[in-house]
Amino acid sequence: MPVSDPAAAPGAPAEGAASHAPAFRPGLEGVPATQSAICDIDGRQGHLTYRGYDAAILAAQSTFLETAYLLIWGELPTALQLRDFEHEVQMHRRVSFRIRDMMKSFPAQGHPMDALQASAASLGLFYSRRALDNPEYIYGAVVRLLAKIPTMVAAFQLIRKGQDPIQPRDDLPYAANFLYMLTEREPDPLAARIFDACLIIHAEHSLNASTFSARVTASTLTDPYAVVASAVGTLAGPLHGGANEDVLAMLEAIGSEDQVAPWLDRAIAERQKIMGFGHREYKVKDPRAVILQRLAEQLFDRFGHDPLYDLARKVEEVAASRLGPKGIYPNVDFYSGLVYRKLGIPRDLFTPIFAIARTAGWLAHWKEQLGANRIFRPSQIYTGAVPREWTPLEAR
Ligand code: ACO
């Protein structure tokens, strides 16, 4: 007996459900699971705000750490607050040699998202969880996670190549330091600025799958490292953060502009999902894709063109006639890979970089959840066997 009909009218009871039971919505589509004052999405206009500020303005004017402060504490910091916050984050960038040694035992061919999830969770072994009602504890945990996640991503990149991690450079700002730790070269200021803007626009996006995961984990009053580790694991999937890797693979598989239409038509006929397209909230082009496209063009102007970008634009143009009528347009993952590729970042680090940025949003939701906590415990619609008799092994 089917228990749900995804095509049923919103609010209609699922087939088989008693009329007084709440309707089952696969993927909780349209079901408010929390109240939040952090981020607002207008999916029809393609508008995204963090704490009331336009994310596009923040990407152009703010820095990632200033935006993280805004997301987590609700207001833009004063100059003094920002200076202290940046200083604290800078002071906590190093990770324990024990964590580095643990990372050295990870398989080199393992995915960096798995390495990040394990490393983030291991922070809980080092720092106590017992003071969730103490603002200083919250501040310290926020600082530590924002500071150490990039160091762990960069460390695994070098460790898997058989090299020792590069120590953070205290004189470099957040984004520049991360790029430095990856390459041991101080990045070009434009590259660092563009990377920082990428972090800003990936920092928060309301109750997406990984943030929901973070809030569910937070609601048990576990430690913030478990909160971030659970969110990292959720972000890793190809329907969520992992799509940015797949977009470049798709562009390479298409190969040339004349292949775009036949490739898309075949994929759509086979009911494949086109990676980097579609979004539960946006029925227009994701505003973050618009910003990323602009950032990609700035990079190409400065450091040379990427022919995959022409192919991507062609895919967007052809897909508009095939998928546009269903409200399916490029999402944040469609152009981000092209930006990171131009910055020389390996493909399987794209999603860990997403995680570096989204740590700010996860922490904002962690703090908000603690402020009005009730453990998440939804109900279910049981579809299993009716009560039946136990059969002994020899009688089966
Ligand atoms: N390509 C082709 N068709 C699509 C796509 C796509 N990328 N996305 C949605 N559709 C179609 C579905 O086939 C479905 O069609 P149907 O009604 O004829 O069956 C309809 O649109 C609704 O799709 P759902 O999968 O139900 O939409 P949902 O809101 O559950 O999924 C999601 C959203 C997961 C992002 C989806 O669009 C997708 O899989 N996209 C590709 C992966 C991707 O780019 N993920 C990154 C999202 S952004 C982020 O998480 C950071």
Side-chain angles (χ1 to χ4, degrees):
M1 179 178 67
V3 292
S4 72
D5 175 7
E15 190 188 333
S19 59
H20 59 272
F24 170 48
R25 305 286 189 95
L28 297 185
E29 180 167 5
V31 178
T34 192
Q35 292 185 319
S36 180
I38 299 169
C39 163
D40 194 30
I41 299 169
D42 181 339
R44 305 244 154 242
Q45 299 296 322
H47 198 227
L48 171 65
T49 54
Y50 296 167
R51 300 283 189 183
Y53 295 99
D54 187 335
I57 303 282
L58 291 169
Q61 306 291 340
S62 181
T63 62
F64 172 67
L65 282 185
E66 184 185 48
T67 299
Y69 188 103
L70 167 71
L71 287 167
I72 295 164
W73 282 284
E75 296 296 336
L76 287 167
T78 62
L80 186 62
Q81 286 168 330
L82 182 59
R83 200 198 62 199
D84 286 350
F85 185 53
E86 286 172 344
H87 179 71
E88 287 293 323
V89 171
Q90 186 186 310
M91 290 295 98
H92 286 84
R93 282 173 181 166
R94 283 167 182 72
V95 296
S96 159
F97 72 91
R98 290 195 182 90
I99 293 182
R100 288 207 309 274
D101 286 352
M102 177 189 77
M103 293 177 89
K104 285 181 183 166
S105 69
F106 291 169
Q109 73 279 10
H111 197 285
M113 278 300 271
D114 296 327
L116 179 61
Q117 190 185 21
S119 318
S122 78
L123 290 171
L125 293 162
F126 295 86
Y127 306 103
S128 146
R129 75 172 71 158
R130 302 267 173 238
L132 294 177
D133 52 356
N134 179 346
E136 280 174 26
Y137 175 86
I138 303 274
Y139 189 85
V142 164
V143 161
R144 221 174 266 131
L145 277 156
L146 287 172
K148 294 187 195 304
I149 294 275
T151 309
M152 295 191 295
V153 171
F156 185 66
Q157 168 61 9
L158 294 193
I159 287 170
R160 68 179 172 169
K161 291 196 293 183
Q163 298 169 14
D164 273 331
I166 297 169
Q167 289 301 317
R169 275 249 316 258
D170 290 345
D171 59 321
L172 291 178
Y174 194 84
N177 174 61
F178 173 72
L179 294 174
Y180 166 78
M181 288 190 298
L182 273 187
T183 59
E184 211 171 3
R185 277 197 318 273
E186 197 172 323
D188 178 276
L190 177 72
R193 172 66 202 135
I194 286 178
F195 186 74
D196 198 58
C198 289
L199 296 181
I200 293 172
I201 55 175
H202 284 87
E204 161 61 8
H205 210 233
S206 82
L207 212 59
N208 54 85
S210 57
T211 302
F212 186 41
S213 216
R215 282 194 86 123
V216 171
T217 310
S219 80
T220 70
L221 302 185
T222 186
D223 70 64
Y225 311 104
V227 169
V228 168
S230 71
V232 170
T234 310
L235 184 69
L239 295 187
H240 193 8
N244 56 12
E245 281 183 44
D246 297 335
V247 169
L248 290 190
M250 175 182 80
L251 295 175
E252 285 165 354
I254 294 173
S256 61
E257 290 189 35
D258 60 329
Q259 285 305 309
V260 169
W263 194 96
L264 280 179
D265 287 339
R266 194 172 50 249
I268 292 167
E270 289 170 1
R271 300 192 62 76
Q272 284 178 38
K273 291 279 178 69
I274 311 304
M275 288 292 131
F277 277 79
H279 200 279
R280 180 69 63 77
E281 294 286 325
Y282 294 115
K283 300 306 161 207
V284 294
K285 185 170 175 178
D286 186 329
R288 301 167 300 172
V290 176
I291 300 169
L292 279 160
Q293 196 172 352
R294 235 178 276 135
L295 296 176
E297 284 171 359
Q298 281 181 43
L299 275 177
F300 301 146
D301 285 349
R302 175 69 166 273
F303 301 108
H305 195 65
D306 183 345
L308 273 195
Y309 178 59
D310 301 325
L311 202 50
R313 284 180 39 195
K314 184 75 182 170
V315 169
E316 179 177 351
E317 180 199 314
V318 174
S321 61
R322 272 67 166 178
L323 299 173
K326 289 174 80 176
I328 299 167
Y329 289 96
N331 61 44
V332 67
D333 285 330
F334 192 61
Y335 287 109
S336 63
L338 287 162
V339 172
Y340 299 146
R341 177 174 137 107
K342 196 69 207 171
L343 291 171
I345 294 170
R347 199 170 293 185
D348 60 2
L349 292 191
F350 296 174
T351 318
I353 286 167
F354 196 155
I356 292 174
R358 190 54 60 83
T359 298
W362 295 329
L363 290 170
H365 282 268
W366 168 59
K367 186 168 168 293
E368 187 174 66
Q369 183 65 34
L370 293 180
N373 190 51
R374 189 162 188 222
I375 191 167
F376 278 94
R377 204 330 178 171
S379 58
Q380 63 166 13
I381 298 167
Y382 178 65
T383 63
V386 295
R388 47 188 169 156
E389 291 299 318
W390 159 257
T391 315
L393 190 55
E394 56 280 10
R396 278 178 236 156

